[in-house]
Amino acid sequence: MTTPAAAPIRYDGRDHAAAKHFVAGAHRAMPPEETLERVRPHLAKGGITRIADVTGLDTIGLPVAVATRPASGTLAVEGGKGATFAAAMASAAMEAIERFVAETFPIEKVWATTGEMADRLPCAVQEFPVSRHTSIATDRRYAWSMMRDLHDDAEWWVPSDLVVLPTGVMVPNLSHPWAAGSNGLASGNDLLEALCAGLYEVIERDATTCWRSAGSRGGVPLLVVDQDSLSGPVLPGLLDVLDRAGADAVIAWCPTDIGVPVAMAYVVDRERGIGLYQGYGCHLDPEIAVIRAVTEAVQSRTIIVSGARDDQLRPVYEAMKRSDVYAAAAVVDRQELVSLSDIPSLATPTFEGDVRVVLDRLARAGFHRVLARELDASQFEASVARVLVPGLAPHDFAWVDVGERARTFDAWAYVP
């Protein structure tokens, strides 16, 4: 029995459809080697001076790469991860491309108060992510930019700071109440691949924030993936590499009402003083969600150990080295085992099919506005998009208000 073909995704008056031609540990339009070969000649256009393999600066051995962009208006170094060297290099390059595009895209802006924009907004302004210790002034004019609803291609306006990446110093106050950041910013070989990545990121951030919020209130056990239930051609090999390097991986499952698989991985060295590192992953295929979480945790560790990121200062490094003293035991203190084999894959053969599945899951959970904006990356032979779903919890940075959804999330509803 064949799977019925999904309808194309309509964006900006055009129908988009794209098949998957690479499905080994990730779902891509082409193998990572081809992606890297295609974008490499264009890297200088974005001020990207090099892509470096930093795997050997740590003891783990899983591929980690960095892309350097010295003139960046935000981060000068981007990390890349993957199950293979080519995947990590392509990941770093695409991360740097998407950040350059989001920093420099000449987006239109309408300056108006929230009241003047009321009938052009997709939701109440309180549903947009905001910073802590600030408020939205009713008499102040903010900059607004257009996004499109992936359900019906309708135009809606949102704060510009949530579409592109603002550069320079932005102190949260009445002038800048919005929690600007890279959540939902994603790249791909084509628009649909970028949209899938953006959708996965906002769902991943929502789920992990909700579960950490529930954990901070106490009593909720960690849902830990039984590693005996892990299979496939990639994942067991990744865990073997960690084991040989003297590190353990604890994989937590983060289910929510949306029903798209989300994993959170903790990598802990058996030698004290190295630190506890986290990574996250979301995908319709639960195995790929776990692969992403594990490789991101390793990337986080290698980036910090090597001192590669310009936003990781020495106090952060020193704090990370102390983080495993108690946290490693706390991670597995109260747990319920989850079998990955009991979680079905929802992935389809096409990117438009995957987008349709995600849109349906979001709608069932009550999220009927799923907004996107394509940011022109044609000069790199790539695609960049920003995705925004009002009401989802943002990443729980210290300066971000996690929102009512995370504060009231009932994790017990998902404990077996």
Side-chain angles (χ1 to χ4, degrees), residues 297-308:
V298 172
Q299 172 191 283
S300 174
R301 168 176 151 145
T302 301
I303 291 292
I304 289 181
V305 167
S306 64

Side-chain angles (χ1 to χ4, degrees), residues 105-116:
F105 184 76
I107 200 165
E108 78 293 332
K109 294 181 180 179
V110 170
W111 290 87
T113 66
T114 57
E116 291 168 340

Side-chain angles (χ1 to χ4, degrees), residues 3-209:
T3 303
I9 301 299
R10 195 161 185 82
Y11 178 86
D12 197 15
R14 293 176 290 128
D15 289 340
H16 296 264
K20 302 173 182 177
H21 297 291
F22 180 82
V23 290
H27 289 187
R28 303 294 184 197
M30 62 184 67
E33 292 85 354
E34 292 183 22
T35 298
L36 191 59
E37 181 181 357
R38 189 164 75 163
V39 303
R40 191 188 287 275
H42 309 296
L43 295 181
K45 300 173 185 176
I48 303 165
T49 58
R50 66 171 179 158
I51 310 173
D53 174 17
V54 296
T55 307
L57 298 181
D58 194 4
T59 58
I60 295 292
L62 289 179
V64 178
V66 294
T68 305
R69 191 164 59 92
S72 169
T74 52
L75 290 179
V77 178
E78 294 288 348
K81 62 185 183 296
T84 65
F85 173 73
M89 295 288 279
S91 172
M94 295 296 275
E95 289 276 344
I97 287 170
E98 73 187 44
R99 187 170 287 271
F100 168 80
V101 169
E103 288 177 3
T104 60
F105 184 76
I107 200 165
E108 78 293 332
K109 294 181 180 179
V110 170
W111 290 87
T113 66
T114 57
E116 291 168 340
M117 294 297 293
D119 61 347
R120 305 167 72 181
L121 302 181
C123 61
V125 291
Q126 293 80 10
E127 293 185 50
F128 294 127
V130 296
S131 300
R132 289 186 179 184
H133 312 305
T134 188
S135 60
I136 303 168
T138 57
D139 59 347
R140 182 176 290 272
R141 294 184 181 276
Y142 298 108
W144 309 88
S145 295
M146 187 272 294
M147 298 186 81
R148 293 182 175 274
D149 194 329
L150 292 179
H151 286 290
D152 56 12
D153 204 27
E155 292 185 358
W156 295 97
W157 292 74
V158 306
S160 295
D161 290 348
L162 303 180
V163 182
V164 292
L165 280 179
T167 57
V169 178
M170 290 187 61
V171 179
N173 53 30
L174 291 178
S175 299
H176 298 286
W178 320 110
S182 62
N183 191 20
L185 178 66
S187 55
N189 294 290
D190 53 49
L191 177 59
L192 289 183
E193 187 178 298
L195 289 176
C196 274
L199 287 165
Y200 289 145
E201 184 165 85
V202 296
I203 292 171
E204 164 200 296
R205 298 283 177 85
D206 171 80
T208 54
T209 294

Side-chain angles (χ1 to χ4, degrees), residues 329-390:
V331 163
V332 294
D333 183 38
R334 292 195 61 193
Q335 62 173 271
E336 294 284 345
L337 287 182
V338 174
S339 174
L340 200 68
S341 58
D342 292 337
I343 303 168
S345 173
L346 305 172
T348 76
T350 66
F351 288 108
E352 66 271 21
D354 285 6
V355 172
R356 291 285 176 200
V357 171
V358 174
L359 291 178
D360 178 64
R361 293 279 166 155
L362 284 166
R364 291 184 190 183
F367 298 96
H368 299 287
R369 297 294 183 201
V370 182
L371 309 174
R373 179 66 184 267
E374 182 178 19
L375 309 179
D376 183 19
S378 57
Q379 62 178 318
F380 300 100
E381 295 190 61
S383 290
V384 171
R386 168 79 85 164
V387 171
L388 174 64
V389 181

Side-chain angles (χ1 to χ4, degrees), residues 227-272:
Q227 296 196 10
D228 288 339
S229 70
L230 302 180
S231 60
V234 176
L235 192 50
L238 297 180
L239 298 181
D240 284 344
V241 172
L242 283 167
D243 182 57
R244 290 197 299 271
D248 296 313
V250 177
I251 303 163
W253 203 242
C254 304
T256 70
D257 51 344
I258 297 170
V260 174
V262 176
M264 180 162 53
Y266 300 86
V267 168
V268 189
D269 202 286
R270 293 173 198 143
E271 179 182 343
R272 284 291 172 88

